[in-house]
Amino acid sequence: MFELYSILFSPMQTYNGSSTPSENVYSIMALVVFMVLIAARRIYRGMNGRIYRNSRVFTLPVIYLILTLYSIIPLGFADVNYFYVLILLPLGILLGLRFGGNVTFFKKNNMLFYKRSPFILMFWLASFIVRFSLIFLYPGNTQIFIVVDSVLSLTAGLIIGESIHTLNKRKEFSDASENEFSESALFSR
């Protein structure tokens, strides 16, 4: 995981470990702009809805699961922290199943859209900001990497749980839409 963080934040330091203050200011500004753009995009799409596709529902949980697994592999299976990070994944799934039920579907311009659960969206945003801030403020600190990996694991579980709700609600929405269509067809005769 340290290699991934050092690659992501390599502009903040030169190869000999020192950097000039102006380089740090530009790196900080670039990081803040990057975080704001990603957060704004996610919030906008989460609140206004996005076009529903099965692939979209599966992509985010798979990415977070891969990132979680990739982040804990350097810990090694003998490290007790490995298990703490992994325990948070099923806990996150349970919390995602509990709080991810606020997914809503709607049609706009004859296309199916969905809005994410506000709780999951806000948790994702907070964890995103915390992860980036901790990595930036404490580079190279192993305990911070474990905290970041733990938050990533919990977030991955939340998103997986929310995705399960999304798929179930999609089926309910489709069944309700079909019943509505067949009832309107009966009354139009």
Side-chain angles (χ1 to χ4, degrees):
M1 192 65 196
F2 180 72
E3 293 84 19
L4 176 63
Y5 295 135
S6 63
I7 290 169
L8 287 174
F9 296 104
S10 61
M12 291 178 206
Q13 295 182 345
T14 60
Y15 291 107
N16 64 6
S18 64
S19 60
T20 64
S22 63
E23 289 173 348
N24 279 341
V25 170
Y26 292 129
S27 296
I28 292 170
M29 288 185 345
L31 178 64
V32 168
V33 167
F34 176 71
M35 286 176 44
V36 167
L37 288 175
I38 288 178
R41 181 176 181 258
R42 294 287 300 203
I43 289 172
Y44 176 79
R45 292 210 172 158
M47 300 306 279
N48 293 320
R50 56 191 316 186
I51 296 173
Y52 178 85
R53 283 189 223 126
N54 282 335
S55 62
R56 183 170 281 152
V57 173
F58 288 116
T59 303
L60 189 61
V62 167
I63 288 171
Y64 266 80
L65 195 57
I66 290 170
L67 284 173
T68 300
L69 294 175
Y70 181 77
S71 70
I72 62 174
I73 287 172
L75 293 176
F77 295 106
D79 191 346
V80 71
N81 295 317
Y82 173 80
F83 296 106
Y84 292 139
V85 172
L86 281 182
I87 285 172
L88 290 173
L89 187 65
L91 176 64
I93 292 172
L94 291 174
L95 289 172
L97 289 171
R98 169 73 173 98
F99 296 108
N102 294 334
V103 175
T104 57
F105 285 88
F106 60 96
K107 289 211 175 193
K108 183 165 64 172
N109 298 332
N110 246 358
M111 296 174 68
L112 184 62
F113 283 73
Y114 73 104
K115 290 182 185 181
R116 297 185 65 193
S117 165
F119 172 79
I120 304 288
L121 183 64
M122 289 299 124
F123 186 89
W124 175 87
L125 178 63
S127 68
F128 177 75
I129 291 169
V130 166
R131 283 191 320 259
F132 265 97
S133 300
L134 287 175
I135 291 168
F136 181 72
L137 293 173
Y138 304 103
N141 187 327
T142 308
Q143 286 93 9
I144 295 298
F145 289 158
I146 292 168
V147 169
V148 168
D149 293 344
S150 299
V151 172
L152 182 65
S153 181
L154 185 65
T155 305
L158 282 168
I159 292 172
I160 291 169
E162 181 189 41
S163 296
I164 293 168
H165 263 296
T166 303
L167 294 173
N168 290 336
K169 288 242 181 173
R170 165 66 169 105
K171 186 176 183 202
E172 291 172 14
F173 184 81
S174 295
D175 293 343
S177 294
E178 288 175 15
N179 289 340
E180 198 175 287
F181 177 72
S182 60
E183 286 175 9
S184 65
L186 277 172
F187 291 120
S188 64
R189 290 183 183 179

